Amino acid sequence: TVQQVNVLCAPGIWTDLGGPMGITRTLGTMGMLAVVLCSCSGEPVSPLWDPTAISSQEHQGDFVFIHVESSSYSLPCSPAELKVADPTYHWVQDKAAPKLLSVTKEGHLLFQHFQAGDSGKYSCIVSYTKHGVPASQMFHYHIFGYHVLGGLDTVLLFHGKFCKDEWTKRFLWDLQKKLRQLEREQHCKVQLTDTFCFPSLTNVSDQFIIQVQLKVSLFGPHWDDNCNPLELETVTDCYHHTVQHNLRQVQLALTRFFKEHKSFHVTGADIPSIDFTNEFVGILKTKECSGGYGQTEQFQRCLSCCIVCPPGTFSPPKNNQCSPCPVGTYSPIYGVAFCTPCKDGMITKVPGASSMTDCVKMERTKQVLLIVHRIPELIAIILPALLAMNLLFILCSCYWFCREYRMSSPTASRKTESTTRMEVVTSFSKIPRQDSKAGLDAGPASDTSHLDTSASQGDEKHTHRAPALAVTPNLATGTDETTLTLTLEERKGNF
């Protein structure tokens, strides 16, 4: 048996086993066979290798947050250093059009001047050899861009004699050209957001006002040179301090710049010379997210920071919330300020579409969309009817309540009591006499009934059936017990 084991373990007998997976399966089978044979021979059994140590492993990494316009950020392939010999690294990203990735010799993914579009899902595969058998591990990361709050909004008013597109374009081009030097000195970015031109109120004939709006971002080139992005515990605080310091410096630099550049002279071969004189400068500090960013609780180290909006969502400028794309639009990338509409009359089934393939023809969702769009109209039609029904119910309830209240009032109660008493007296006086014997046994009541019957019906014969009770109309409410007693005594005398 020992010789058989030695034959199995002898080198040089392996042929092509179908790659690393085939080698792993074959080695596993042979290993179990060797263990069985060694057990039968009485030799101590020891594992020749650990198959789990050489199998492919997959790890789900955590979220990674990288500040936009970071000068440099390097992401290692493995969260912990792998002590393996001669590893090779391969980074991939799950994008339709992946960018060329920069990987260091240590296997780190390198980002320079990180942008919102660099956000996404990345995977790193590290391959190595262990016990002569190929092995690999895969690590997944979800990377998000973010930025701390801080910026400036600037409003400028210039006076000029003309308000035409060509002259205004020349003036704005000259203005931005002179601001480039300020951007390099202060490590910021100045963006022209809007312009307006309207007649002056003081001199309408030959004076116009050009209003210029500028947005200043504090994240220019090398803005974070004093912060180390590898120090995860303190780098966000460093970014906050840097932004606040740069905010004050840029504000002073802008004020000084427009004092020095009081007038801009525009000239050209095809246009006359024009002067645009600066009359007003307003600078406002802002704490708003940039377009395509919103505040969430994902980044626990900085809850006030703005996180890039993922695909399927958007955030307009000066809006601190990422919202799903409306029906009929989609956003396939990170950090969009506005979603892209579907083409050719197509539409999405639900909000939050993240791909152009989510757009379908109108016929497939026409009925659903018609119902969804008509819900407000149906509510507008049904709601007044419900309000009218409620009002009618309230009026009817008030009417019945008032009616019941009048029926239960003291006057009505007295009338009802008097009517009931008269009915009792009338029924008492109209009970017929059955016969002479019954009349004698009945006493005064029977006699009274006989007299009353005789008085009302004359010489007619008495029947043995009692007539139905009824109220005589002649018995008015003024009848009382005294009048009734006198009438009975008079009838008894006549009888």
Side-chain angles (χ1 to χ4, degrees):
T1 307
V2 176
Q3 293 177 352
Q4 292 177 350
V5 173
N6 292 334
V7 170
L8 290 172
C9 299
I13 65 171
W14 304 106
T15 58
D16 186 9
L17 300 176
M21 296 304 296
I23 293 175
T24 303
R25 289 194 297 267
T26 305
L27 289 177
T29 305
M30 293 302 179
M32 289 186 292
L33 180 59
V35 170
V36 173
L37 294 177
C38 291
S39 300
C40 296
S41 63
E43 296 293 332
V45 180
S46 61
L48 301 179
W49 56 78
D50 184 6
T52 60
I54 60 175
S55 61
S56 298
Q57 298 182 15
E58 191 169 355
H59 308 275
Q60 295 295 334
D62 296 332
F63 292 128
V64 178
F65 297 92
I66 304 176
H67 201 290
V68 293
E69 295 294 344
S70 296
S71 299
S72 179
Y73 188 94
S74 106
L75 179 64
C77 180
S78 171
E81 184 180 358
L82 292 177
K83 297 181 179 180
V84 295
D86 299 328
T88 58
Y89 303 94
H90 181 64
W91 283 89
V92 294
Q93 58 183 142
D94 60 341
K95 291 186 178 180
K99 298 180 180 180
L100 182 62
L101 302 179
S102 176
V103 182
T104 65
K105 62 180 182 179
E106 294 83 8
H108 294 191
L109 182 62
L110 185 62
F111 292 101
Q112 292 182 341
H113 305 292
F114 186 88
Q115 302 296 322
D118 296 328
S119 303
K121 296 180 180 179
Y122 293 78
S123 299
C124 175
I125 304 172
V126 53
S127 303
Y128 53 92
T129 302
K130 190 171 185 179
H131 300 292
V133 179
S136 64
Q137 295 189 43
M138 180 179 289
F139 301 90
H140 300 282
Y141 300 97
H142 200 169
I143 299 177
F144 287 93
Y146 80 96
H147 74 81
V148 298
L149 292 174
L152 294 175
D153 281 344
T154 305
V155 178
L156 310 171
L157 296 180
F158 294 88
H159 282 188
K161 292 185 178 181
F162 300 97
C163 186
K164 293 186 179 181
D165 293 340
E166 185 62 28
W167 296 326
T168 304
K169 288 180 181 179
R170 293 287 185 94
F171 157 66
L172 294 176
W173 181 83
D174 188 33
L175 174 62
Q176 294 181 79
K177 181 181 177 181
K178 292 182 178 180
L179 286 172
R180 294 292 177 264
Q181 181 64 27
L182 184 143
E183 290 180 334
R184 288 189 292 268
E185 293 175 355
Q186 300 298 325
H187 307 290
C188 64
K189 289 183 178 181
V190 181
Q191 179 185 2
L192 177 65
T193 58
D194 212 343
T195 58
F196 302 95
C197 186
F198 47 88
S200 173
L201 297 178
T202 57
N203 192 349
V204 181
S205 60
D206 58 352
Q207 287 290 329
F208 291 88
I209 295 178
I210 294 89
Q211 177 178 323
V212 181
Q213 295 181 1
L214 302 175
K215 185 176 182 61
V216 181
S217 172
L218 304 176
F219 311 120
H222 306 288
W223 71 276
D224 61 339
D225 285 347
N226 297 327
C227 301
N228 184 5
L230 297 180
E231 298 176 357
L232 300 179
E233 298 295 333
T234 60
V235 66
T236 305
D237 294 335
C238 181
Y239 289 153
H240 276 288
H241 295 311
T242 301
V243 168
Q244 294 301 320
H245 176 267
N246 292 349
L247 191 65
R248 293 189 292 269
Q249 296 299 320
V250 172
Q251 186 173 1
L252 293 175
L254 280 174
T255 304
R256 183 171 58 252
F257 174 84
F258 287 109
K259 284 183 178 180
E260 296 175 356
H261 298 80
K262 192 68 176 177
S263 178
F264 291 83
H265 184 72
V266 178
T267 185
D270 53 343
I271 60 174
S273 298
I274 303 174
D275 288 329
F276 291 87
T277 306
N278 181 17
E279 297 292 340
F280 173 80
V281 178
I283 301 176
L284 177 65
K285 296 180 180 180
T286 60
K287 287 189 176 181
E288 297 171 342
C289 294
S290 302
Y293 288 79
Q295 292 179 330
T296 65
E297 296 182 357
Q298 282 183 308
F299 194 19
Q300 293 296 323
R301 287 195 182 96
C302 184
L303 295 177
S304 62
C305 290
C306 301
I307 312 300
V308 65
C309 297
T313 61
F314 75 105
S315 177
K318 298 184 179 180
N319 190 340
N320 293 351
Q321 185 69 35
C322 294
S323 304
C325 289
V327 173
T329 62
Y330 65 95
S331 63
I333 60 176
Y334 289 79
V336 298
F338 300 98
C339 298
T340 304
C342 294
K343 297 181 179 180
D344 300 330
M346 303 179 76
I347 198 167
T348 57
K349 294 182 180 180
V350 293
S354 59
S355 175
M356 186 174 60
T357 57
D358 295 329
C359 297
V360 296
K361 292 184 178 180
M362 188 63 143
E363 289 76 8
R364 297 183 181 180
T365 55
K366 186 174 181 180
Q367 295 180 352
V368 177
L369 292 174
L370 287 176
I371 294 175
V372 172
H373 291 164
R374 287 182 180 177
I375 287 178
E377 299 178 3
L378 294 175
I379 293 177
I381 295 174
I382 295 175
L383 188 60
L386 293 176
L387 294 176
M389 293 177 63
N390 290 334
L391 181 61
L392 182 61
F393 175 77
I394 294 173
L395 294 176
C396 293
S397 300
C398 294
Y399 170 76
W400 288 109
F401 175 79
C402 295
R403 182 176 179 181
E404 292 293 332
Y405 176 77
R406 287 197 298 268
M407 294 297 293
S408 60
S409 61
T411 305
S413 300
R414 288 194 299 269
K415 292 182 179 180
T416 305
E417 182 180 357
S418 177
T419 305
T420 305
R421 185 172 58 190
M422 293 308 301
E423 289 179 353
V424 172
V425 172
T426 305
S427 61
F428 175 79
S429 61
K430 286 188 176 182
I431 298 176
R433 182 175 60 185
Q434 302 292 335
D435 50 22
S436 59
K437 184 178 180 179
L440 293 175
D441 295 337
S446 299
D447 295 340
T448 305
S449 299
H450 174 68
L451 292 173
D452 182 70
T453 305
S454 301
S456 60
Q457 296 184 358
D459 297 330
E460 293 180 1
K461 294 183 178 179
H462 300 286
T463 59
H464 294 283
R465 292 184 300 174
L469 295 177
V471 180
T472 304
N474 294 331
L475 295 177
T477 56
T479 305
D480 53 13
E481 295 180 358
T482 304
T483 307
L484 179 61
T485 304
L486 295 174
T487 305
L488 291 177
E489 290 178 355
E490 181 181 354
R491 291 184 179 182
K492 283 182 180 181
N494 295 331
F495 179 76

